[in-house]
């Protein structure tokens, strides 16, 4: 097996400079098992990030592995030119859990492509290139997904040709309306939306796309009911609502199956990716039939709905539902919150603990301020790794620690991880 240092050098030499491994000394992963992952040196880590919320029901989950193995032994690829039972069955299953009436499903190969499709549909349906998105959003790396992203660290272009306007409300800590209570905050953001539409509407916006909890943005979230209130304004104008559930889907928030359900609104479309295949390349969009079927020309996705990936998706979704992992996300999320809340409250370095269920984050700032402290965040990330836990980083200023254990994490695993996280926070100087 190649030594980690040598692999790190080869990674830097052959991969583009705009991607980079986490940690000063990058980890090279050899294998995983449940909530644990092992590096090439044989070190074991508790994985509380899941390769960015993507390994969702444990590494090498035997149910998914077996489904992939069985499908790989039959046929790995067909394309959408042929009938493929795994794809059709999984589409039916996704439609059934989506909450969208008369839903249609298209599978894609990434969250970016799913969001591209959502914007393609919305702009065609509404015959408008005007799009609304939230401030502090991240929707992917394609040209369209970049256009609706408002996160400077990850914004590489604004050349899409879409006319995008960013709405207040996703990131409350640094919002001009931060001091308001939930209801006044929502009202202020809705008033801002109304004014934005009044001022810049050039014949009708196509859609508002939003993450119910902003992933890359550091698990920033508006009050419950927020998107329902925005939705009333959108509906009056005929503007569609697209919920990007790439990070919030499949029960992770504990209280609901989808993030949008906290808001009293049913989206016109949901996009999904990451955890749905427990690590196999799988993403997609589920939308009202009228919207999904609005294209009048042919379209095709070669890999979308691939039998190998949809077999993994079916096994993952079945496992989530049969084991009621949403309930586990609620219970383990409460356990995490209970341990972290007093520690974060007591720490002068932590401005805010936020999130829902198994999607919790805290924002690290200079003592008793909201001035971001990216250096302290990077140091905490290294320290948690040295102590044996992998967590993620995020936030507009790279100063947020994101914690997203597997949906089937056990109480004991959670306690072990929390002991380490608490120790790491308490030793910040
Ligand atoms: N939407 C959200 C909310 C995401 O977090 C991401 C990925 N971080 C994407 C879309 C893009 O997904 P992908 O990387 O699979 O293209």
């Amino acid at each position: 097996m190649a030594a980690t240092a040598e692999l790190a050098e080869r990674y830097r030499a052959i991969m583009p400079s705009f991607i980079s491994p986490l940690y000063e000394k990058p980890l090279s992963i050899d294998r995983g098992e449940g909530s644990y992952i092992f590096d090439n040196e044989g070190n074991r880590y508790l994985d509380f990030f899941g390769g960015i919320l993507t390994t969702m029901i444990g590494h090498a989950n035997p149910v998914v592995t077996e489904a992939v193995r069985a499908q790989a032994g039959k046929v790995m690829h067909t394309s959408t030119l042929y009938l493929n039972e795994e794809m059709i069955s999984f589409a039916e299953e996704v439609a059934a859990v989506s909450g969208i009436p008369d839903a249609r499903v298209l599978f894609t190969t990434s969250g970016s492509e799913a969001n591209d499709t959502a914007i393609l549909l919305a702009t065609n349906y509404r015959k408008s290139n005007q799009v609304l998105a939230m401030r502090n959003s991240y929707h992917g790396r394609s040209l369209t997904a970049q256009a609706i992203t408002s996160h400077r660290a990850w914004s590489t272009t604004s050349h899409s040709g879409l006319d995008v306007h960013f709405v207040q409300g996703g990131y409350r800590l640094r919002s001009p309306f931060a001091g308001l209570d939930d209801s006044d905050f929502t009202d202020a953001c809705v008033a801002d939306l109304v004014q934005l539409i009044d001022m810049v509407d050039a014949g009708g916006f196509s859609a508002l796309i939003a993450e119910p909890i902003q992933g890359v943005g550091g698990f920033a979230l508006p009050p419950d009911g927020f998107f329902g209130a925005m939705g009333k304004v959108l509906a009056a104008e005929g503007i569609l609502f697209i919920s990007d559930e790439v990070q919030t889907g499949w029960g992770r928030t504990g209280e609901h199956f989808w993030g949008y359900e906290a808001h009293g609104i049913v989206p016109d479309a949901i996009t999904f990716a990451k955890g749905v295949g427990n690590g196999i390349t799988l993403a997609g969009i589920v939308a009202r039939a009228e919207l999904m079927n609005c294209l009048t020309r042919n379209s095709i996705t070669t890999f979308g709905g691939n039998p190998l990936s949809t077999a993994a998706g079916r096994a993952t979704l079945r496992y989530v539902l049969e084991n009621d992992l949403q309930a586990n996300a609620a219970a383990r999320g409460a356990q995490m919150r209970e341990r972290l809340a007093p520690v974060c409250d007591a720490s002068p370095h932590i401005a805010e603990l936020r999130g829902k269920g198994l999607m919790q984050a805290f924002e690290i700032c200079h003592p008793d301020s909201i001035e971001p402290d990216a250096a302290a965040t990077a140091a905490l990330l290294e320290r948690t790794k040295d102590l044996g836990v992998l967590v993620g980083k995020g936030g507009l200023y790279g100063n947020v620690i994101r914690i997203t254990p597997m949906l089937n994490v056990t109480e004991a695993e959670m306690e072990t991880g929390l002991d380490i996280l608490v120790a790491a926070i308490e030793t910040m100087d």
Side-chain angles (χ1 to χ4, degrees):
M1 193 183 297
T4 299
E6 181 209 320
L7 278 179
E9 217 166 279
R10 284 165 56 196
Y11 178 113
R12 288 199 184 94
I14 197 68
M15 308 296 285
S17 59
F18 55 75
I19 66 166
S20 55
L22 211 56
Y23 302 118
E24 230 168 81
K25 275 198 208 143
L27 275 186
S28 62
I29 303 298
D30 178 35
R31 66 188 178 87
E33 196 183 322
S35 284
Y36 286 94
I37 201 155
F38 298 80
D39 70 10
N40 281 6
E41 278 79 42
N43 299 309
R44 189 178 83 145
Y45 301 89
L46 194 47
D47 186 358
F48 275 11
F49 202 40
I52 326 177
L53 295 84
T54 301
T55 305
M56 184 170 79
I57 56 170
H59 292 284
N61 185 308
V63 171
V64 183
T65 304
E66 199 34 58
V68 170
R69 200 194 314 273
Q71 187 59 48
K74 290 205 293 183
V75 62
M76 292 215 281
H77 176 72
T78 61
S79 87
T80 47
L81 293 178
Y82 307 97
L83 303 181
N84 142 22
E85 191 169 350
E86 291 302 316
M87 176 181 78
I88 296 163
S89 298
F90 192 44
E92 290 165 350
E93 290 157 13
V94 170
V97 297
S98 72
I100 294 181
D102 195 23
R104 299 290 184 275
V105 179
L106 178 80
F107 295 112
T108 64
T109 48
S110 69
S112 302
E113 191 193 348
N115 285 330
D116 257 18
T117 307
I119 300 300
L120 171 76
L121 292 171
T123 51
N124 268 276
Y125 183 82
R126 292 275 294 155
K127 304 270 180 287
S128 164
N129 74 334
Q130 290 199 292
V131 181
L132 296 165
M134 304 302 294
R135 295 204 186 174
N136 197 42
S137 61
Y138 181 87
H139 295 291
R141 63 172 301 278
S142 67
L143 198 61
T144 310
Q146 282 280 284
I148 51 177
T149 288
S150 60
H151 191 295
R152 186 161 148 176
W154 297 97
S155 292
T156 56
T157 177
S158 65
H159 294 166
S160 72
L162 291 173
D163 179 30
V164 183
H165 295 266
F166 293 98
V167 176
Q168 288 284 355
Y171 186 22
R172 199 166 169 181
L173 183 70
R174 293 173 200 282
S175 157
F177 311 129
L180 303 178
D181 67 23
D182 284 1
S183 157
D184 289 347
F185 176 83
T186 299
D187 289 348
C189 296
V190 169
D192 190 62
L193 172 68
V194 169
Q195 188 188 55
L196 181 69
I197 293 171
D198 278 353
M199 288 180 170
V200 294
D201 179 316
F205 277 93
S206 55
L208 167 67
I209 183 164
E211 304 154 86
I213 301 176
Q214 297 181 323
V216 174
F219 297 170
L221 71 168
D224 285 356
F226 179 91
F227 290 112
M230 302 290 263
K232 291 200 177 89
V233 177
L234 303 177
E237 300 278 339
I239 302 170
L240 305 171
F241 178 61
I242 301 161
S243 192
D244 178 338
E245 300 274 355
V246 166
Q247 299 212 8
T248 41
W250 320 103
R252 180 166 287 281
T253 68
E255 58 179 29
H256 296 107
F257 197 71
W258 302 104
Y260 78 75
E261 291 175 278
H263 294 278
I265 187 171
V266 177
D268 297 285
I270 296 171
T271 55
F272 56 86
K274 292 203 191 284
V276 59
N278 202 38
I280 294 280
T281 309
L282 177 61
I285 171 168
V286 45
R288 285 195 291 116
E290 193 194 357
L291 172 60
M292 186 73 97
N293 293 334
C294 78
L295 299 185
T296 55
R297 308 293 162 89
N298 292 324
S299 193
I300 191 168
T301 164
T302 302
F303 287 124
N306 174 293
L308 201 60
S309 61
T310 41
R314 292 187 77 194
T316 304
L317 179 57
R318 201 164 46 238
Y319 192 90
V320 167
L321 295 175
E322 283 175 1
N323 294 286
D324 196 4
L325 294 189
Q326 183 185 320
N328 193 56
R332 301 286 69 83
Q335 182 186 354
M336 174 151 55
R337 201 75 197 194
E338 208 167 288
R339 280 291 300 281
L340 288 183
V343 179
C344 291
D345 270 355
S347 171
H349 303 277
I350 294 178
E352 185 171 68
L353 171 68
R354 59 187 179 230
K356 287 185 176 182
L358 288 176
M359 202 174 172
Q360 301 286 335
F362 52 87
E363 179 150 349
I364 299 178
C365 293
H366 288 283
D368 303 314
S369 77
I370 61 162
E371 194 193 327
D373 193 342
T377 312
L380 191 77
L381 194 79
E382 296 288 341
R383 177 138 179 77
T384 49
K385 184 197 83 169
D386 292 344
L387 293 170
V389 176
L390 305 186
V391 291
K393 207 166 60 134
L396 188 57
Y397 305 103
N399 68 321
V400 177
I401 292 288
R402 295 192 285 162
I403 314 159
T404 59
M406 308 295 162
L407 296 189
N408 54 348
V409 66
T410 66
E411 186 175 358
E413 287 165 348
M414 184 61 90
E415 215 49 35
T416 304
L418 287 168
D419 285 346
I420 291 173
L421 283 167
V422 166
I425 293 169
E426 286 179 343
T427 53
M428 285 172 89
D429 44 41

